């Protein structure tokens, strides 16, 4: 059966990487999973799917480069939550989300003991698949993939978004073939609204950066050498430079698993 696209389509995403303050790991995990994940995101208009991922201390140690401008320091961000928003509903969801988070904090539904490492709204640019009949990106957050790699590429001066996408379209098939990487999705950030919460960091380089998500069938630790080689290939291409590469594994929903493994 040939691959068919359906009318439901991801148009944008929220990517939010956060650290709990030390000593608040369990309470943060429970607050986010049992309240904020739903009240702050999933009940919003046009929200298709969401998932949470964690980086234990050994996974953080694999991240590179050390001088990343995506996060305050390369080890920042123990949890990442990713959400898909239906195509054409970005503005509606974004307006709702700002009002909603302000309402939640105003009604004592926030969590003070957390630090945002990188939070951004992104518009979907491109997607690439390993298989001829793949799991569509729309289902990726529900697929229970065993690994995720977030990789950011800062475009070189004079390189357009079209140039960047053309390079990856030509090079990714070879990289994906026979690998545990089922799909890759690329995104460009949109500026935060002026009334977005002040605790969310602003990112001056976001507009010329491609944030890419690699969904893996296996543990990212087992293919990390391949990602290091892939980053070297990107850096050598002249189209841009990898400014962030981080592996994640899924949280175990309903448990506190990994809360005691976040710090080295």
């Amino acid at each position: 059966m040939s691959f068919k696209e359906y009318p439901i389509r991801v148009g944008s995403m929220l990517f939010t990487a956060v650290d709990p303050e030390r000593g608040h790991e369990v309470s943060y995990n429970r607050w986010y999973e049992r309240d904020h994940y739903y009240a702050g995101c999933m009940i919003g208009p046009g929200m298709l799917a969401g998932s949470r991922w964690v980086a234990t201390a050994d996974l953080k140690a694999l991240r590179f480069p050390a001088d990343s401008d995506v996060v305050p320091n390369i080890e920042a961000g123990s949890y990442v939550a990713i959400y898909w928003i239906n195509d054409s509903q970005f503005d509606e969801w974004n307006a709702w989300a700002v009002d909603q988070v302000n309402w939640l904090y105003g009604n004592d539904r926030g969590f003070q003991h957390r630090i945002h490492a990188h939070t951004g709204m992104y518009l979907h640019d491109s997607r690439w698949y390993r298989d001829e009949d793949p799991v569509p990106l729309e289902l990726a957050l529900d697929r229970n993939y065993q690994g995720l790699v977030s990789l950011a590429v800062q475009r070189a001066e004079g390189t357009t978004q079209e140039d960047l996408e053309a390079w990856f379209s030509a090079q990714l098939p070879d990289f994906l073939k026979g690998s545990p990487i089922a799909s890759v999705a690329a995104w460009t950030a949109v500026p935060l609204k002026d009334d977005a919460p002040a605790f969310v960091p602003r990112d001056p380089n976001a507009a010329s950066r491609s944030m890419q998500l690699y969904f893996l069938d296996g543990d990212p630790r087992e293919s990390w050498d391949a990602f290091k080689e892939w980053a070297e290939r990107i850096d050598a291409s002249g189209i841009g430079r990898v400014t962030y590469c981080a592996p994640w594994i899924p949280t175990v929903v309903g448990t506190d698993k990994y809360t005691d493994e976040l710090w080295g």
Side-chain angles (χ1 to χ4, degrees):
M1 180 180 293
S2 61
F3 177 62
K4 176 182 177 180
E5 291 191 357
Y6 289 85
I8 293 296
R9 189 169 176 85
V10 178
S12 51
M13 77 162 171
L14 168 63
F15 180 102
T16 177
V18 176
D19 278 310
E21 293 181 2
R22 296 193 186 216
H24 297 273
E25 295 86 352
V26 171
S27 57
Y28 168 76
N29 183 59
R30 293 190 174 200
W31 165 79
Y32 197 97
E33 182 178 82
R34 303 177 187 200
D35 186 7
H36 197 66
Y37 177 84
Y38 296 101
C41 296
M42 291 298 292
I43 64 173
M47 182 64 72
L48 295 180
S51 63
R52 294 183 69 222
W53 307 77
V54 61
T56 53
D58 63 318
L59 286 166
K60 291 177 187 173
L62 298 176
R63 295 175 177 172
F64 63 87
D67 61 345
S68 174
D69 65 349
V70 177
V71 288
N73 66 78
I74 196 60
E75 293 188 352
S78 297
Y79 290 95
V80 66
I82 299 170
Y83 303 90
W84 290 167
I85 303 163
N86 190 42
D87 195 19
S88 81
Q89 290 190 264
F90 169 78
D91 290 338
E92 180 185 5
W93 187 88
N94 199 25
W96 172 87
V98 171
D99 291 342
Q100 180 74 352
V101 75
N102 288 329
W103 183 89
L104 289 169
Y105 269 79
N107 286 273
D108 199 28
R109 294 270 295 278
F111 191 90
Q112 299 299 328
H113 301 289
R114 61 171 175 161
I115 303 166
H116 278 255
H118 179 90
T119 294
M121 299 299 306
Y122 287 82
L123 298 181
H124 180 46
D125 293 324
S126 299
R127 61 183 72 185
W128 300 272
Y129 297 117
R130 177 193 59 201
D131 302 327
E132 188 173 330
D133 186 20
V135 174
L137 179 63
E138 285 69 25
L139 303 184
L141 300 184
D142 294 317
R143 176 63 176 80
N144 296 320
Y145 284 114
Q146 295 306 297
L148 170 74
V149 172
S150 52
L151 184 149
V153 180
Q154 191 70 42
R155 296 200 315 260
E157 186 174 353
T159 298
T160 66
Q161 178 66 22
E162 292 73 20
D163 294 335
L164 190 79
E165 291 184 27
W167 188 89
F168 278 96
S169 293
Q171 301 297 321
L172 267 172
D174 178 58
F175 180 59
L176 298 182
K177 186 176 181 180
S179 80
I181 305 164
S183 61
V184 183
W187 316 77
T188 299
V190 294
L192 288 171
K193 297 180 70 173
D194 292 338
D195 56 353
F199 57 73
V200 178
R202 273 48 178 175
D203 188 349
N205 294 328
S208 57
R209 180 191 301 129
S210 176
M211 176 65 82
Q212 301 178 354
L213 303 182
Y214 294 66
F215 291 96
L216 282 68
D217 290 324
D219 190 310
R221 284 168 283 216
E222 297 172 359
S223 54
W224 201 240
D225 285 345
F227 275 97
K228 290 191 290 186
E229 292 172 3
W230 178 234
E232 291 173 358
R233 195 163 149 190
I234 296 169
D235 290 348
S237 71
I239 62 161
R241 183 174 72 90
V242 173
T243 57
Y244 182 65
C245 192
W248 309 85
I249 55 176
T251 60
V252 180
V253 176
T255 77
D256 298 318
K257 188 173 178 63
Y258 304 122
T259 56
D260 60 347
E261 299 179 40
L262 304 182
W263 321 116

